[in-house]
Amino acid sequence: MAYTTVDVAANSPLRVSYGSPTNPSFLFARYGFMDDSCPATFCKIMDIPKTPDNVDVGLDPIKMLFYHDTGDISEEVLDVVLYAKVLGNVKYHPDAPTFKNQFYQAHMSGDLATKQAIHEQFRYETLGEVKKHVDSFLKNLDDLEGKSDGKSFDEHPRLPLILAHNEFVRQTFQNVKTNLDAFLGDSEQSGSDQWGQDNSQWVQDEGQWGQDDGQWGQEEGQWGQDSGQWGQEEQWA
């Protein structure tokens, strides 16, 4: 017998959610299947502390996404990386101490013009931080995949699924890397920002994937839950 927390019309279908539609890693780790229809995956940036202001700006694995087919980067990734990594470490500009607070206030008040102006001023630094993460993660994937060399699928029946999951993530990150390399390379050659009109090339509308139940730390959003951790013995043993 099942009970609902809201009224449901007669003959309406009842469905169970197994997790975030943009986190195939969780579904793979918890339930043992790979959903390669996911349009995006969590960007795997996990070195930013879960402080109240970082969460306000967008620190949430359900919102911080890389898109599989296009290599697009969600707005939340750019906001959080700019706020927590770039603006938190800028020392060479005399007005730097105020940028972080200005960005936070603009974000919380919906002042898109100020947000955009700060993004444009630090676009190269923000994308540089994202690229460092992408390059590092792709190298880690290569190292992990090397551990599967010579392994017998008969002895390790989960290995094909693990490799399929890793390949999905690799394709996503590689598409992001292709975009970043093109943008950062063009910027180095021209000395100008060629980001593109109104950010539509790189970002998705804020809130598109912003489910309210996706707070950082929720079971559905944590990278490496249960048997899905990279280093768990059953994956590569």
Side-chain angles (χ1 to χ4, degrees), residues 73 78 81-82 85-86 122-136 180-181 183-184 187-188 195 202:
I73 303 171
L78 300 177
V81 170
L82 171 64
K85 287 181 172 287
V86 176
F122 295 97
R123 183 70 64 192
Y124 188 88
E125 292 85 350
T126 301
L127 295 182
E129 287 288 342
V130 176
K131 185 180 184 302
K132 284 194 296 185
H133 165 70
V134 168
D135 289 344
S136 175
L180 288 170
D181 286 346
F183 171 79
L184 293 172
S187 294
E188 288 177 351
W195 175 249
W202 289 82

Side-chain angles (χ1 to χ4, degrees), residues 13 33 67 72 110 117 148 162 181 196 200 230 234:
F33 69 89
Y67 288 84
D72 287 348
S148 68
I162 293 170
D181 286 346
S200 61
W230 287 108
E234 67 170 331

Side-chain angles (χ1 to χ4, degrees), residues 64-132:
M64 295 177 65
L65 304 175
F66 290 160
Y67 288 84
H68 177 266
D69 293 341
T70 63
D72 287 348
I73 303 171
S74 72
E75 185 172 352
E76 287 77 9
V77 173
L78 300 177
D79 283 350
V80 171
V81 170
L82 171 64
Y83 180 76
K85 287 181 172 287
V86 176
L87 298 183
N89 292 304
V90 172
K91 297 181 176 65
Y92 55 82
H93 195 291
D95 293 331
T98 68
F99 282 144
K100 189 172 185 180
N101 182 61
Q102 286 177 355
F103 185 86
Y104 181 81
Q105 295 300 327
H107 177 82
M108 297 303 291
S109 66
D111 182 356
L112 299 181
T114 298
K115 275 188 66 175
Q116 181 65 17
I118 298 174
H119 264 300
E120 291 300 329
Q121 183 165 353
F122 295 97
R123 183 70 64 192
Y124 188 88
E125 292 85 350
T126 301
L127 295 182
E129 287 288 342
V130 176
K131 185 180 184 302
K132 284 194 296 185

